[in-house]
Amino acid sequence: MQSTNISILFLIIYVVGIIAVGIWNRKSESSEDFFLASRKLPAWLLAITFIASWWGGGSAIDLVDHAHRNGISSFWIYGVPVLIATALLFLFARGIRNIGSISQPQLMKQRYNSTVSLLLTIFIIIFMVIATTVQVIVVGKFFQAFFDLSYQTGAIIGTLIVLTYSLFGGFKGVVLTDLLQFVFFLFTGIFLFYTAYTQSGGMEAVKATALLNNKSGYTSFFSDVSDNLAYVITFGTSWMIQANIWQRISAAKKSTDARKMMIISFFAFIPLYLMVTYTGMFASVFYESVPKSGIVPNMISNISNPIISALLFVGLSAAIMSTMDSLINTGALSLTLDIYKVYINPGASAAHNVTVGRISTFIVGAIALLIALEIKSVLTIAWIGSDFLTSGAFVPLILGFLWARGTAKAATISMLFGLVFSSYNLLVALGAPLPVAWEIASISQAVIGISISLILYVSFSFITKNDMEKSRSFIRKANVLNRTYN
């Protein structure tokens, strides 16, 4: 009881603090102010908010549970895709920043046309809502385990906290609170890693436990890699084009800062994801199976020192919220700039768009909360969201920077296929009795989706007319690899 009361007090202090940061940064005179912090943030700060977005509550907590069951090869589920996506983003960061658009759809309108821009907006909003749902699920389960609340109440409280400070501060508020949240979660991650290591007795005890439980390959990095390749392909490609990460690249002062952000993040992700993976492996010694609430929440709630337990609770809450606020802010950006401003009220003033941005922030969070109250599987939801981006948006986005022959009609056809393909898979995953020639959430599905998208894009690019001057001008401006592709 004492630990719970202290945790509530610390959570209140923390929430008041981050809301104060949001209010302090509430002044936004334009959409660029609200969504990109006027492009004045340094590379190291953007790197931290980038890391906080991907090394957040959903992936880190879920990875601990997977590592408990499957060992070091679980790193392939989240760690490897993150490293692949970050490396690819390093190559494209110069081009993304050089274009200078506020949102991804604005960028694609420059490269193709308004139809492609609208389709991409639809994909982004779907992905951001679904990805936000993952974080709502995690925070709901965490608050349920720690405070003995219902899952629904925990999810509502967590979402309201994030919405409160996100409504005030916009992107700058998100970045500054991400900095605070990252520090909290880093402390939590290191503490739990050390605790799990000391309680388990180290790797020898892990190996002995794995042998006792007949878990062959538990300490082999390449054990059963094929089982995780679907996640590598789908997560790696979709995260590489994730709009909230492109938003951070666009917010950099210049292209060199954008690339610095990627380098810092890449080398930070390696130890961070390995630490989380090993925490789960060490926990296999003293947890026979994964607790219903998850290993991390259970470990924190069982710490005898109420002060430390409360600090770790806030640290974990911070991790979840840092990811959630980033996703909500980017979803709101697309709703405001790419839907409202383009199709509903093109003549709206800058101040009015900021107000709409705050309303959009609430809408994205509310829809994600409603979905999370119905579906509670983290990995399933994460896969569904990523499948939309991989099948529908990856090929047109990436080849748009590299191949001038790619046409707007080809991009449209490729994206429409991805929308239909992913929606069909979503219906099957939700239990619809539809025929399917591949296993849902498998490497076959991932390869089929992205391959057909590529074939459609390339084929229709050769048989449809293209504005070559517009395409070449875009690629020259992006200057991704210091050359022009024809």
Side-chain angles (χ1 to χ4, degrees), residues 97-317:
R97 179 60 187 88
N98 284 346
I99 293 300
S101 62
I102 296 179
S103 70
Q104 269 186 335
Q106 287 181 353
L107 183 148
M108 284 294 96
K109 186 176 181 180
Q110 291 186 50
R111 174 59 178 85
Y112 297 112
N113 59 22
S114 57
T115 302
V116 175
S117 175
L118 176 60
L119 284 171
L120 182 57
T121 301
I122 293 171
F123 280 115
I124 290 172
I125 293 173
I126 290 173
F127 178 84
M128 292 303 156
V129 169
I130 292 177
T132 302
T133 300
V134 171
Q135 306 308 317
V136 176
I137 292 170
V138 174
V139 78
K141 290 182 176 180
F142 183 44
F143 283 11
Q144 177 188 23
F146 208 84
F147 292 131
D148 197 26
L149 301 168
S150 68
Y151 164 76
Q152 290 78 6
T153 302
I156 292 170
I157 292 173
T159 304
L160 287 177
I161 291 172
V162 174
L163 283 177
T164 300
Y165 70 79
S166 296
L167 286 170
F168 285 110
F171 182 66
K172 188 175 181 181
V174 167
V175 169
L176 294 178
T177 52
D178 275 356
L179 174 60
L180 178 62
Q181 290 161 337
F182 174 74
V183 172
F184 267 117
F185 188 48
L186 182 61
F187 169 75
T188 301
I190 293 173
F191 186 92
L192 292 179
F193 171 79
Y194 177 76
T195 300
Y197 174 77
T198 55
Q199 288 186 11
S200 68
M203 282 304 298
E204 291 304 317
V206 170
K207 292 177 182 178
T209 302
L211 185 63
L212 184 65
N213 294 323
N214 296 316
K215 292 185 177 181
S216 59
Y218 193 77
T219 57
S220 172
F221 186 76
F222 295 99
S223 176
D224 297 323
V225 170
S226 58
D227 294 341
N228 296 321
L229 283 181
Y231 300 114
V232 173
I233 295 171
T234 304
F235 287 163
T237 52
S238 66
W239 292 348
M240 186 263 170
I241 59 171
Q242 202 168 305
N244 59 318
I245 304 304
W246 285 41
Q247 181 184 6
R248 280 147 178 73
I249 294 173
S250 297
K253 294 179 181 179
K254 49 190 178 181
S255 60
T256 53
D257 287 325
R259 302 191 88 181
K260 286 178 185 177
M261 178 178 74
M262 292 300 111
I263 295 173
I264 294 170
S265 301
F266 182 89
F267 287 104
F269 280 134
I270 297 173
L272 290 175
Y273 273 98
L274 281 175
M275 179 174 68
V276 171
T277 304
Y278 276 107
T279 298
M281 294 173 66
F282 292 139
S284 68
V285 177
F286 49 89
Y287 282 111
E288 185 176 343
S289 61
V290 176
K292 183 178 180 181
S293 61
I295 290 173
V296 171
N298 193 272
M299 286 182 66
I300 293 176
S301 62
N302 288 331
I303 292 175
S304 58
N305 187 311
I307 302 295
I308 294 178
S309 178
L311 284 173
L312 296 179
F313 163 77
V314 173
L316 189 54
S317 300

Side-chain angles (χ1 to χ4, degrees), residues 349-372:
S349 66
H352 181 74
N353 284 332
V354 171
T355 300
V356 174
R358 293 192 167 104
I359 295 172
S360 298
T361 297
F362 177 80
I363 291 173
V364 172
I367 294 174
L369 175 61
L370 291 174
I371 297 173

Side-chain angles (χ1 to χ4, degrees), residues 433-472:
L434 299 172
V436 65
W438 51 83
E439 183 182 351
I440 296 298
S442 66
I443 186 172
S444 298
Q445 178 187 324
V447 171
I448 290 170
I450 199 170
S451 297
I452 295 179
S453 177
L454 175 62
I455 292 170
L456 289 173
Y457 181 84
V458 173
S459 300
F460 279 91
S461 289
F462 281 117
I463 62 176
T464 56
K465 187 177 180 180
N466 188 26
D467 186 343
M468 291 297 291
E469 182 54 39
K470 179 182 179 181
S471 300
R472 286 171 175 161

Side-chain angles (χ1 to χ4, degrees), residues 405-421:
R405 188 67 187 84
T407 70
K409 288 184 179 179
T412 300
I413 292 169
S414 175
M415 295 174 82
L416 286 173
F417 158 75
L419 185 61
V420 173
F421 181 79

